[in-house]
Amino acid sequence: MRNQLIAGLGPKARDSLLAAGEAADLALSQVLSVAGGVVRHVYFPVEGFISLVAAVKDSPGIEVGMIGTEGMLGASLALGVSTHPVRAIVQGPGTAWRIPAAAFKAELRRSAQLHRSVARYLFVLLCQQSSAAVCLRFHLIGPRLARWLLMSQDRAHADSFHVTHEFLSYMMGVRREGVTQAAGALQHRGLIAYRRGEMHILDRAGLEAAACSCYGVESAIYADVFP
């Protein structure tokens, strides 16, 4: 199992959790949840990744988090909360292990290890969302874009993935012209190559150097919580 939360469980808890769900396709731009909506299923990405988007009145919203094979969607159930706090959109297509909410809550009651792991992941998500707020307020578009590309590459598990400038501007809460200019600067430095919606990471180390400090902080928190 490629999902790290599931893979980190003991054999008994892992087998029980897997038996409660099934594989589900994640289609690009598929909406998996809306803010305030009832959690009907939880998703553990196996391939692909999901953007968490906070609603803003009279605007499409802004990305406040990202979920890949390191995590899950629907973790609020571990807190006894059965509603989604934000909108979730598939950013990278793939597959996930999908479990009905009722069955997942039964697994949480059955396995203290699962409950502990999900609670620790909720802390990681909280830190990621706090970092996103700070990043939006204090960091320039270029370093923010580099951070976003690194986060996407980590979850795509590949040097190339599909993304448009329009989608980037939506996720980052900036005008498309700003994203185009920032991406052009990274491409001029030989860090990325971009053509017709296909993003290619050419220099990972250079991109890390260009990214704001938020990326390193978030990575360190995850490594500390899930050593």
Side-chain angles (χ1 to χ4, degrees):
M1 169 56 67
R2 195 170 187 176
N3 183 277
Q4 295 170 43
L5 279 181
I6 295 178
L9 298 173
K12 183 178 180 180
R14 182 171 61 247
D15 291 347
S16 181
L17 186 66
L18 290 174
E22 61 182 359
D25 291 332
L26 299 178
L28 184 64
S29 300
Q30 179 183 358
V31 177
L32 299 178
S33 73
V34 295
V38 176
V39 180
R40 302 191 184 282
H41 294 87
V42 300
Y43 293 83
F44 292 84
V46 178
E47 294 176 341
F49 49 109
I50 301 163
S51 285
L52 302 178
V53 181
V56 181
K57 187 177 181 180
D58 300 325
S59 82
I62 189 167
E63 185 182 75
V64 295
M66 196 181 294
I67 299 171
T69 57
E70 83 292 345
M72 64 169 292
L73 175 67
S76 63
L77 291 178
L79 300 176
V81 178
S82 297
T83 55
H84 288 286
V86 293
R87 191 180 190 207
I89 306 171
V90 176
Q91 180 182 308
T95 58
W97 202 253
R98 182 178 66 188
I99 303 172
F104 183 69
K105 287 189 285 188
E107 293 300 315
L108 287 171
R109 292 190 295 270
R110 185 177 294 118
S111 172
Q113 184 188 28
L114 173 63
H115 198 287
R116 182 168 58 250
S117 183
V118 175
R120 292 169 74 85
Y121 177 65
L122 276 168
F123 175 77
V124 171
L125 271 183
L126 177 62
C127 292
Q128 187 183 133
Q129 292 174 11
S130 297
S131 179
V134 172
C135 195
L136 175 65
R137 174 62 180 85
F138 292 106
H139 295 153
L140 299 176
I141 296 176
R144 286 175 56 207
L145 175 60
R147 165 185 173 265
W148 190 93
L149 292 174
L150 289 167
M151 291 176 67
S152 296
Q153 184 188 25
D154 289 344
R155 289 159 178 81
H157 299 287
D159 293 335
S160 301
F161 48 89
H162 181 81
V163 66
T164 65
H165 282 192
E166 182 179 5
F167 188 78
L168 278 171
S169 66
Y170 168 43
M171 288 294 99
M172 296 179 63
V174 298
R175 296 178 62 186
R176 181 174 177 176
E177 292 81 358
V179 170
T180 300
Q181 184 177 4
L186 294 177
Q187 185 161 265
H188 181 73
R189 294 168 59 183
L191 305 182
I192 65 171
Y194 181 80
R195 180 178 174 82
R196 295 181 179 178
E198 293 300 317
M199 180 66 67
H200 303 274
I201 308 300
L202 303 179
D203 183 350
R204 168 83 187 195
L207 200 60
E208 288 181 358
C212 61
S213 58
C214 298
Y215 177 74
V217 170
E218 292 166 6
S219 298
I221 289 172
Y222 184 86
D224 183 56
V225 174
F226 292 101

